[in-house]
Each structure stands twice: as structure tokens, then as C-alpha cells.
Amino acid sequence: MAGDSVAGEKRMRLHYAGKCRLCGAELAARAEAIYERPTKTVRCLECRAAAIDSDLPTPELETDGIVDVGTPGASARREFDRRQSKREERIRSKHPKLGGLILALSDDPQSTKSWDVGAVGEERVGTRLNELASESLLVLHDRRIPGSRANIDHIAVTATGVYVIDPKRYKGRPSLKVEGGPLRPRVEKLLVGSRDCTKLVDGVLKQVDVVRRVVGDEVPVRGVLCFVDADWPLIGGSFTTRDVESLWPRRLYPKLQADGPLTVDAIADLHRRLAIGLPAA
């Protein structure tokens, strides 16, 4: 995405189509162009060259997280590679002659493979979010939570509000189990198959709180658990527990593209604030 920087401008790949502010040329999504922060406009590379040749002044661009939307699954992929490399180093050091054979005939432990599984889910959802990105749908990936080793997988800023998206590649059918009643407190449990995954809801709620501290209380912030490859029924299936919605990717994407009250300028401002407040991990 990011390219070289020269005085007062940033060369980057566009996340959505635009128009050169100088010559009016149409610029396709993912085309390389020059982004100008003060005017929130773009210039084509030809006009950039002309400006340099004629010594035209260029506006100052603050190099912050605005243009760094992050890489989907980057943290999980790094952790998987780290664990895999550490295991290989340990085995080769302990068995200098047979290390290669042992590695070829054995698998990574589940604690290592789970990072790869998670990274794939984040990469798939993040890639599709990038494809859907537009003026009214701006995304961020793999954001670091200040003061914590945890991260937020995806944030989508849309016309209807901000979505905190946590992809999961769990096998089984997600469902909501409600316990309690008139004489006992109501307790909601998130199950995937027979596995109690209620803690996932707690994790998303914590992420929602982090995002809400950045954008304030005036903008809706919604938590989403997006189960990739789960055993969803043909009809229905999605549900909400404690304001966190559980659904699948194809059910999620239309929600992010829905019309809403937030303007393009408001979406861009929220996106910039989140990118600065929650830098890429």
C-alpha cells in the first residue's frame, strides 16, 4: 500500500476509486497515487511529476496511521512463524543428524497450528473487506491495543457505525443456549457444537470498549463474531448475545455496506482517529 514519501505528500495504493484534484483523471481502486492529507484529495503520478518539475508547493502530510490500514492476520502469522521456527531450531539442535527427518515426519503441536488456523481466517475476511472498501466503508486490520499484548483483528467504519470484527475458524454449529428463568438469573452461553465459547463474547466486548474510548459515545460501535467455515444452517442461524452478533462472512458484508446516517467525511474522520489511536500491530 505505502510507497515512497517526499516533502509534503504520500505515495500509496488507493483503497477505492478517486479523481486527481489537478487534472481530473479518474483513478481506479488500487492504483498508485499521491494522497494529500490537508485536503483529503489525491493526485495522479503524472501531476506529481509535473509539480516537482515546476517547483509547485505541495501541502504538508502528517505521516500517521491513516494510510497504514494494517495487514490482515499479521500478528497471528508472525506468532505461527515464530513458534514453528523455534520448534525447528530446538529439534535440529537436539538431533543434528536426524532433525530434518524428524521434522518431515512430525506435525507442529496443536498450540502452534491454531495460530495458522486463526491467521487464515483473518486473512480471508480481511482480504474480502479490502475488496469491499469504498468511501463509505473504510477498514483497519490487526490493530494494537495500547498497554496490552492483545490486538483487534478488523475494524470497519461504515455509514451505520463502527464494527469490531473477530473472525474465528471453529468447527461445528454456533448456537445460543439460554439458561435460567423467572426464579434464576438469565445466563446466555455461546456454543460451537458442544463447546462452550462464551469467553469469545467477553473478548469482543473488551475490544468494543477500547474502540468506543477512541470514537466516543455518539457513534454506534458493534461487536461481531464472524465464524468462518462453521456449520451454519441453510435458513436463519445468526444470533446476538450481549450485543455481540454471531454470523458468517456472507451475512456480515451486506451489513457493512448498508446505508446509514454517517457521511463520507464523518467516516473518513473516524477512520483517521482509529488509525492513529490504534496503530497497526
Side-chain angles (χ1 to χ4, degrees):
M1 174 190 67
D4 58 319
S5 296
V6 294
E9 56 189 34
K10 182 72 175 182
R11 179 168 174 167
M12 61 176 289
R13 290 191 182 276
L14 299 179
H15 302 301
Y16 46 86
K19 181 181 292 186
C20 176
R21 74 171 179 86
L22 295 181
C23 68
E26 297 291 339
L27 300 171
R30 299 184 181 175
E32 288 196 358
I34 306 303
Y35 176 73
E36 299 178 357
R37 186 179 190 278
T39 58
K40 299 179 182 177
T41 58
V42 293
R43 303 205 317 271
C44 65
L45 297 185
E46 289 75 12
C47 287
R48 171 182 184 261
I52 294 175
D53 291 342
S54 60
D55 293 326
L56 293 175
T58 55
E60 282 297 319
L61 171 63
E62 179 183 339
T63 304
D64 55 25
I66 180 98
V67 296
D68 186 4
V69 300
T71 302
S75 292
R77 181 62 60 197
R78 284 196 302 268
E79 181 62 19
F80 170 72
D81 291 341
R82 185 191 70 81
R83 289 174 177 243
Q84 193 177 57
S85 297
K86 187 175 181 180
R87 174 176 177 264
E88 179 177 352
E89 180 182 352
R90 183 174 64 251
I91 290 176
R92 289 187 182 278
S93 176
K94 188 175 181 179
H95 307 280
K97 296 182 179 180
L98 298 176
L101 180 61
I102 294 173
L103 290 168
L105 297 177
S106 62
D107 291 331
D108 290 317
Q110 183 59 38
S111 58
T112 296
K113 290 191 289 187
S114 63
W115 286 97
D116 179 53
V117 171
V120 170
E122 294 175 36
E123 290 161 355
R124 286 169 55 182
V125 172
T127 297
R128 183 56 179 152
L129 289 176
N130 284 341
E131 294 171 349
L132 296 174
S134 67
E135 288 184 331
S136 57
L137 171 53
L138 300 179
V139 296
L140 297 168
H141 309 289
D142 201 29
R143 314 313 291 186
R144 185 169 67 249
I145 298 177
S148 170
R149 297 181 62 183
N151 70 306
I152 299 175
D153 293 337
H154 310 287
I155 300 173
V157 187
T158 78
T160 58
V162 179
Y163 290 79
V164 177
I165 304 166
D166 190 0
K168 296 297 180 186
R169 287 187 71 202
Y170 286 16
K171 298 297 183 180
R173 175 164 296 182
S175 63
L176 177 62
K177 181 179 180 181
V178 180
E179 299 177 342
L183 301 179
R184 291 190 300 159
R186 176 186 172 94
V187 177
E188 297 183 351
K189 292 184 178 180
L190 169 62
L191 304 180
V192 181
S194 59
R195 180 181 177 185
D196 187 348
C197 297
T198 306
K199 64 180 181 180
L200 298 180
V201 179
D202 299 328
V204 172
L205 289 174
K206 291 178 181 178
Q207 296 176 21
V208 167
D209 287 341
V210 170
V211 170
R212 188 172 284 123
R213 286 198 294 269
V214 176
V215 301
D217 295 328
E218 297 181 2
V219 179
V221 181
R222 300 176 173 90
V224 175
L225 280 166
C226 186
F227 288 96
V228 182
D229 296 335
D231 178 25
W232 291 101
L234 294 177
I235 300 176
S238 64
F239 55 88
T240 300
T241 173
R242 289 187 288 157
D243 295 326
V244 174
E245 190 165 7
S246 295
L247 40 61
W248 54 98
R250 289 189 179 182
R251 189 69 177 264
L252 168 66
Y253 302 141
K255 290 179 177 290
L256 304 181
Q257 296 174 296
D259 293 333
L262 294 182
T263 65
V264 170
D265 287 343
I267 292 170
D269 180 66
L270 288 169
H271 184 254
R272 178 172 61 253
R273 287 159 58 187
L274 285 164
I276 296 172
L278 303 172

